[in-house]
């Protein structure tokens, strides 16, 4: 069995019951072609959670610090993650990400770069906009709504794709595009957080 599928199976068996994961909006993820999933970042477990809530294989750019821990390094590699230096200025990693998209795969990004422990949506780094502008990928926002606490529901919400046509034609800056992506994530997070309170 491919390492990714094995890792996905193991993570599913652990995280779905542990965090009572509920997924919304899977239909917003294209079944083929290049896709960039951009999610907020609240835990080191975010990459495997995004991975197991997708039918397609997802490749991840993950901060290089995660690869210094032996267990996390094996976990990251099992879900197609590869390291990138802080700030998304690692040229080799950026080139690797673009190659993944050219091969019509799914790239998972956490634009904030570091975890937001207060649960709020932080400012995104320009790297996400870079990939969105330099590729023809469909951009899908994702809101992870915690907390990551045993037996407390964790929501993973995939929003509708963001239209990048005007941004690409007008050659917008990478930061402007990232800001738009983060705003979509913020709106998803707020809407579904309020919905949880009401219900």
């Amino acid at each position: 069995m491919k390492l990714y599928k094995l890792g996905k199976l193991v993570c599913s068996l652990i995280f779905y019951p542990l965090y009572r994961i509920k997924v919304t909006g899977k239909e917003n993820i294209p079944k083929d072609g290049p896709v960039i999933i951009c999610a907020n970042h609240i835990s080191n477990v975010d990459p495997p959670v995004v991975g197991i809530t997708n039918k397609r294989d997802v490749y991840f750019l993950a901060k290089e610090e995660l690869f210094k821990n032996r267990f996390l390094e094996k976990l990251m590699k099992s879900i197609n993650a590869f390291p990138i230096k802080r700030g998304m200025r690692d040229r080799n990693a950026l080139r690797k990400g673009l190659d993944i998209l050219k091969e019509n795969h799914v790239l998972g990004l956490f634009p904030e770069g570091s975890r937001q422990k207060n649960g709020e949506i932080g400012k995104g780094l320009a790297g996400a906009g870079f990939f969105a502008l330099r590729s023809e990928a469909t951009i899908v926002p994702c809101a992870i709504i915690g907390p990551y606490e045993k037996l407390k529901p964790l929501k993973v919400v995939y929003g509708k794709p963001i239209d990048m046509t005007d941004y690409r034609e007008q050659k917008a800056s990478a930061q402007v595009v990232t800001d738009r992506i983060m705003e979509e994530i913020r709106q998803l997070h707020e809407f579904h957080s309020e919905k949880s309170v009401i219900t």
Side-chain angles (χ1 to χ4, degrees), residues 3 9 55-56 122 154 174:
L3 183 59
L9 175 61
K55 290 184 178 180
R56 295 180 63 182
L154 178 77

Side-chain angles (χ1 to χ4, degrees), residues 65-129:
E65 288 84 354
L66 291 177
F67 293 79
K68 294 179 180 179
N69 177 290
R70 186 171 298 179
F71 170 76
L72 284 177
E73 179 184 17
K74 290 182 178 179
L75 179 62
M76 292 295 104
K77 288 183 177 180
S78 75
I79 57 168
N80 291 343
F82 53 97
I84 183 171
K85 296 176 182 178
R86 282 188 177 276
M88 285 189 156
R89 295 175 181 174
D90 185 333
R91 290 186 178 181
N92 289 331
L94 294 176
R95 192 176 299 113
K96 172 71 173 176
L98 289 176
D99 287 342
I100 287 170
L101 294 172
K102 287 178 182 177
E103 294 170 1
N104 292 322
H105 294 306
V106 180
L107 181 65
L109 300 177
F110 300 94
E112 293 158 303
S114 58
R115 289 171 293 157
Q116 304 298 308
K117 297 180 181 179
N118 58 10
E120 297 180 0
I121 306 298
K123 184 174 178 61
L125 301 173

